[in-house]
Amino acid sequence: MIERKFVMPASVTVQVVPGERGSHLRLERGGARFALDRPVQVGLLDGPGYEAAYDSVQESGDAVVGTARVQMAEGTEVVLEDHITVRNDAAVEIVRHARVVAVGASEGVRLGLAGKTDVDGARDEAWQYFIPGTMYNRNDSDGDGIEDYLGTYVQEHRDDKNGCLAALARDSRSGATVSIARISLPAFDTGITPEQRLAREFVQRTDIGSLGVAPAAEQVDLRAAYPFVEEVSFCLDTDGSGWGAYLPSEVGASVDVTYELRLSWTPDLTEAIWQLHRHQYNRLGTRRPSPDLTLADSVEHRQLLTQLYYRKWEKEEDPLEPAGYLVHFSPRTGETLGSLIEFGFSGDQSLLAYTQLAWGYRKDVPLYRDRARSVLDFFVSAFQLENGFSHGIYDPFRNRFTHWFTGILMPFQYAENEDDVRRYVGDQISRALMPIARELREIEGNYLRTMCESVYPLLLSYELDMQRGRENDTWLEAGRRFGDFLLRAQAEDGSWYRAYAPDGTGLTSPEAWFGASYVEQKSGTIFPVPVLTALHRITGEGRYLRAAERAADFILQTFVEPTVYIGGLNDTTHVKSVKTDSVGVMFLMRSLRAAYDVTGHQRFLDGAVKAAKILASWVYLWDVPLPEGTLLAQAGFRSTGWAACDVIPSGGYLDNEFLEFTGDLVAIAAHARHEQLFDVAEIVEYGMQYALSTPRNDHGYVAPGIQCEGVMTAYWLSRPDKTEFSGAVAKSKGDDNDTCNALTNGQASYAIYELEDAYGTAEFDQIRAKLFG
């Protein structure tokens, strides 16, 4: 068979490959090739599917038009027309128009397309993957050769879980990089009922499709479907069972959607991800969000709310005189859930105290400053052991410290028995976590992240008071004790474990919680560098600086260069605790920034830029359509600028942690003269104000200044299940996670204050002018 080659006005060429059952297209750019060999796919609800090439392909101006008429055995008939145009050196656009012209027995119809890479010498194990918020490299940080979460590289994900509406595969041996993207933004969605979720295959009116990848005999399939299908997924259950929607099969029902295929070479996976993300930033028309309040107003609401939840116990009540901000509460009732005072992670009392201290100086209110100091004094006097180890949680009602490992397991602490656990978090989560919870209950220790988050703001508070003539020697002594703990615990290669026992021994068991490989166990290394550089800045002692440099080099070699970013979160829903998550990238980026700030070594700035590019890929570049009547739709929520939490829920669950790190990202953009990274910080800072309750838009919450820990822009463990406190579990698209904790408002205030201190303003227009002209 002779191939006809159309001459196109760009580097990518499109060839029509005739066959006995129609013609398909072959895209080529040098050695990178892609065969769009199954462009016509029709699926039926409760019926067999169909896939084939086009019936015919014709030239039409600067486009190639592929057409097909598909007649299914039960009577459904679909006509399809794809306009394929080369848009630039790397990209081919596919504008699809399809409609149902006859209806058969089936009630629903789905359309799709698929093609396969054709890269010389490619091997299954050499392919690297990227799906935003879901797949980074091969998702195999435990090193067993199997994808860590869903257990397969056959992965298709709903558009509303995909922050840049794209999926990518890169051959690590040749650098050949091929991606598929959706260019036409999904415009609407409807709610999926409990009955539909139980059925798993159903008819729905929706503009939500899906994109994905799948291994294909040493090559890779790139796939798209409309509406969505997920062959394996945590959207409904912990078992990963799949689901999918079909359009109503009605005469005249139509599909109009635009895709893009890109072929390129990239020097590494980081650059492949960044180039695709930036391309989609432009193609999707991403712009800075415009919430209905200023950043200054947002801080005011947040700080006043924090003040409402301050509590101090007198010596007669508790000899330790506990003090803290009890901000783990229901946003709808204001009722505090439990009495735990948590330093680090979701409680993050030191960060709250630091930002309240700074607020007290800005507002000239001694009460705010004195309360903040009482919280830090409580930590210094009660939480820390002589060897520098610090506890994480104190229960003032029971007058004791608890070594319970926190996060999503927090409801387990309120529960008196296993029936209570099921009541709090539902059946599937209690089944998934109960065995590990029983084991963790017997382990004494604390996370390194939690200890670093306790001490780093303490040192910042020490500096803040010192600058105004007040010395808090016990704070610095506590910082030194922890610094010495870090120096003793640091391994020869510069690393630290994820968690430690009170005697300074690294915790490695159970491996599902503390890491199944050396890389996972040593994910704690991403946290201590800012603590060490702060101690060096305050004391001038070189030993802290040397330890920070060794850690930063370990981070570069172990996480940045292999593109394996893990371990930021302390909790999990199921599967494993040490996982790929966005906050892990944030802390790693901050650590490399801190190392660069104090040393000026270019390798640390280069690494920080690489981490920043990966972090950008977690950020939504578009506004997900929300079902009418849901909480988020009623509140006017927009997803642009929000970051996905971790790869287990994929982009279906967005959380707040990026609020703390916008100042770090701006600093890296400034150091590197990289305005496109500044763009990312800008959309994050403004976009993430959309979930904050205000006097004008209270979200149904009891007060201004409330921002739930996270929001649902898709589905995650959404099989119907009754829970009293579920977090994000058993929620549906358009819900919040019904959890407010101390972390969020401390994070938001911290970053805005950092920007104000560095640039005299937190308004990004003014900062951009100062940095880039």
Side-chain angles (χ1 to χ4, degrees):
M1 193 71 64
I2 298 176
E3 297 184 358
R4 290 175 56 212
K5 181 175 180 178
F6 297 128
V7 178
M8 309 294 283
S11 297
V12 176
T13 60
V14 178
Q15 298 172 305
V16 177
V17 183
E20 294 180 0
R21 299 182 58 190
S23 300
H24 71 269
L25 301 179
R26 182 180 179 85
L27 283 54
E28 184 169 357
R29 190 181 182 201
R33 296 178 295 272
F34 182 81
L36 187 60
D37 53 358
R38 287 152 291 148
V40 181
Q41 298 185 334
V42 179
L44 297 176
L45 180 64
D46 299 323
Y50 171 90
E51 63 177 31
Y54 297 113
D55 293 341
S56 66
V57 178
Q58 303 292 330
E59 291 183 78
S60 177
D62 63 351
V64 174
V65 181
T67 59
R69 191 179 192 98
V70 179
Q71 294 177 307
M72 306 296 284
E74 45 69 77
T76 298
E77 188 172 349
V78 177
V79 295
L80 177 147
E81 184 175 283
D82 286 346
H83 290 250
I84 301 103
T85 308
V86 176
R87 286 301 184 192
N88 55 45
D89 287 353
V92 174
E93 182 183 85
I94 303 171
V95 179
R96 167 160 289 188
H97 306 284
R99 69 183 187 278
V100 177
V101 296
V103 174
S106 180
E107 296 180 356
V109 61
R110 177 192 299 137
L111 301 181
L113 61 81
K116 185 166 62 176
T117 64
D118 180 15
V119 176
D120 292 339
R123 296 289 181 269
D124 282 343
E125 65 276 8
W127 284 101
Q128 300 171 311
Y129 300 105
F130 166 62
I131 301 174
T134 298
M135 176 77 76
Y136 288 82
N137 203 339
R138 295 182 65 82
N139 276 9
D140 184 24
S141 59
D142 64 8
D144 65 356
I146 301 171
E147 199 273 345
D148 288 346
Y149 309 100
L150 290 169
T152 176
Y153 291 108
V154 178
Q155 297 214 8
E156 299 161 287
H157 296 275
R158 289 170 52 104
D159 291 337
D160 52 9
K161 293 163 57 181
N162 191 322
C164 69
L165 289 176
L168 174 148
R170 178 180 182 272
D171 176 38
S172 61
R173 293 150 56 117
S174 68
T177 305
V178 185
S179 64
I180 187 169
R182 179 172 174 178
I183 303 303
S184 55
L185 289 172
F188 68 93
D189 193 20
T190 56
I192 299 173
T193 67
E195 293 75 20
Q196 288 174 321
R197 297 201 298 272
L198 289 171
R200 298 186 182 277
E201 300 282 326
F202 47 85
V203 173
Q204 182 193 13
R205 296 185 187 277
T206 180
D207 200 23
I208 300 296
S210 57
L211 300 169
V213 298
E218 314 296 347
Q219 301 293 334
V220 177
D221 266 356
L222 299 181
R223 303 174 174 180
Y226 187 98
F228 79 93
V229 62
E230 295 186 323
E231 187 172 326
V232 288
S233 173
F234 289 137
C235 279
L236 301 182
D237 277 294
T238 57
D239 64 11
S241 50
W243 67 324
Y246 294 82
L247 296 176
S249 185
E250 302 168 343
V251 173
S254 62
V255 171
D256 293 281
V257 61
T258 302
Y259 300 108
E260 188 174 83
L261 294 164
R262 295 182 75 242
L263 281 66
S264 62
W265 284 268
T266 51
D268 55 31
L269 182 59
T270 297
E271 198 58 28
I273 291 172
W274 172 250
Q275 288 182 15
L276 177 59
H277 184 267
R278 191 64 197 184
H279 178 78
Q280 288 295 97
Y281 186 103
N282 294 322
R283 287 292 270 140
L284 299 177
T286 304
R287 296 293 182 269
R288 185 175 93 181
S290 301
D292 65 346
L293 80 168
T294 67
L295 297 181
D297 285 344
S298 77
V299 169
E300 193 80 0
H301 294 318
R302 295 177 190 279
Q303 295 284 45
L304 285 169
L305 182 85
T306 302
Q307 274 294 309
L308 291 176
Y309 284 87
Y310 174 81
R311 172 79 188 274
K312 189 177 190 302
W313 284 255
E314 298 302 323
K315 189 179 289 290
E316 293 75 22
E317 299 175 276
D318 188 321
L320 295 180
E321 297 183 80
Y325 305 95
L326 301 183
V327 198
H328 189 75
F329 67 89
S330 166
R332 290 169 176 82
T333 67
E335 180 183 356
T336 299
L337 303 177
S339 61
L340 304 173
I341 299 177
E342 183 184 7
F343 279 82
F345 199 43
S346 62
D348 217 348
Q349 295 292 305
S350 292
L351 183 66
L352 279 179
Y354 167 66
T355 56
Q356 285 280 306
L357 182 65
W359 191 45
Y361 278 119
R362 281 166 159 79
K363 294 296 182 180
D364 195 20
V365 179
L367 176 66
Y368 302 158
R369 302 196 295 267
D370 291 343
R371 285 180 167 183
R373 292 180 187 124
S374 72
V375 175
L376 296 174
D377 286 339
F378 173 50
F379 172 79
V380 168
S381 64
F383 269 69
Q384 195 178 54
L385 305 183
E386 282 300 316
N387 68 352
F389 172 94
S390 62
H391 297 290
I393 303 175
Y394 184 72
D395 185 346
F397 285 0
R398 295 180 175 87
N399 305 114
R400 70 182 186 188
F401 293 100
T402 174
H403 294 280
W404 189 244
F405 289 90
T406 57
I408 200 166
L409 294 184
M410 187 75 80
F412 283 69
Q413 299 202 82
Y414 310 143
E416 297 296 328
N417 54 53
E418 294 188 1
D419 287 338
D420 273 349
V421 171
R422 278 185 283 274
R423 176 168 58 86
Y424 277 121
V425 299
D427 179 60
Q428 61 174 319
I429 290 303
S430 63
R431 281 189 287 107
L433 288 182
M434 196 79 76
I436 197 77
R438 294 191 192 103
E439 189 171 354
L440 288 170
R441 186 165 290 189
E442 305 304 317
I443 296 173
E444 294 188 354
N446 197 4
Y447 290 106
L448 192 57
R449 169 181 172 175
T450 306
M451 290 190 278
C452 290
E453 285 183 306
S454 301
V455 174
Y456 181 54
L458 177 72
L459 294 172
L460 297 180
S461 300
Y462 173 84
E463 290 182 298
L464 184 58
D465 260 355
M466 177 66 77
Q467 291 163 5
R468 287 155 177 81
R470 181 187 177 106
E471 292 193 33
N472 301 287
D473 292 339
T474 57
W475 298 1
L476 181 56
E477 290 168 8
R480 281 181 175 274
R481 276 195 296 272
F482 182 60
D484 292 344
F485 175 90
L486 290 174
L487 295 185
R488 289 192 302 272
Q490 189 175 31
E492 285 296 319
D493 60 8
S495 66
W496 286 277
Y497 285 103
R498 176 172 174 77
Y500 285 87
D503 65 0
T505 303
L507 295 175
T508 58
S509 180
E511 67 176 25
W513 211 255
F514 299 117
S517 66
Y518 188 75
V519 170
E520 291 185 348
Q521 291 170 359
K522 291 307 185 80
S523 58
T525 312
I526 67 179
F527 304 113
V529 173
V531 177
L532 294 168
T533 56
L535 282 168
H536 171 71
R537 185 173 62 244
I538 294 168
T539 69
E541 294 184 24
R543 60 198 183 112
Y544 297 128
L545 177 58
R546 289 190 292 273
E549 286 193 68
R550 290 168 56 210
D553 281 326
F554 180 88
I555 287 170
L556 289 175
Q557 296 160 11
T558 309
F559 303 114
V560 175
E561 295 310 326
T563 324
V564 176
Y565 294 84
I566 54 173
L569 294 171
N570 288 350
D571 58 4
T572 193
T573 51
H574 63 296
V575 183
K576 59 188 295 187
S577 178
V578 190
K579 57 191 170 295
T580 301
D581 53 29
S582 60
V583 73
V585 193
M586 295 172 203
F587 275 105
L588 186 153
M589 178 187 72
R590 171 179 287 173
S591 289
L592 292 177
R593 174 218 168 169
Y596 174 75
D597 283 345
V598 73
T599 67
H601 294 333
Q602 186 65 37
R603 69 182 184 277
F604 297 144
L605 178 58
D606 292 344
V609 169
K610 281 194 165 189
K613 289 178 174 179
I614 295 296
L615 180 57
S617 74
W618 287 84
V619 174
Y620 267 68
L621 301 180
W622 63 291
D623 293 329
V624 170
L626 298 162
E628 185 178 348
T630 60
L631 170 75
L632 296 185
Q634 291 175 333
F637 176 83
R638 296 186 178 185
S639 55
T640 296
W642 282 71
C645 179
D646 66 86
V647 299
I648 295 176
S650 302
Y653 175 63
L654 313 182
D655 80 350
N656 298 323
E657 298 225 40
F658 208 154
L659 281 169
E660 182 183 336
F661 297 85
T662 51
D664 295 285
L665 185 52
V666 168
I668 291 165
H671 286 317
R673 306 298 302 161
H674 203 307
E675 192 170 1
Q676 292 176 340
L677 289 177
F678 184 88
D679 293 343
V680 178
E682 182 176 40
I683 65 171
V684 170
E685 188 64 77
Y686 289 89
M688 292 187 71
Q689 308 301 330
Y690 270 100
L692 180 68
S693 64
T694 70
R696 293 184 300 277
N697 187 354
D698 65 12
H699 294 223
Y701 303 157
V702 295
I706 296 175
Q707 184 162 333
C708 271
E709 182 184 39
V711 295
M712 306 295 299
T713 46
Y715 297 84
W716 170 35
L717 304 185
S718 296
R719 175 175 58 80
D721 195 2
K722 289 186 177 181
T723 62
E724 183 171 309
F725 168 79
S726 65
V729 177
K731 300 287 186 178
S732 294
K733 180 174 180 176
D735 287 338
D736 61 25
N737 77 332
D738 200 25
T739 303
C740 188
N741 59 39
L743 184 64
T744 299
N745 285 347
Q747 290 178 311
S749 302
Y750 170 87
I752 289 174
Y753 288 165
E754 181 182 10
L755 292 169
E756 288 178 348
D757 290 343
Y759 305 106
T761 180
E763 294 301 326
F764 273 66
D765 288 340
Q766 297 175 45
I767 298 173
R768 186 188 294 272
K770 290 184 178 185
L771 293 180
F772 303 105

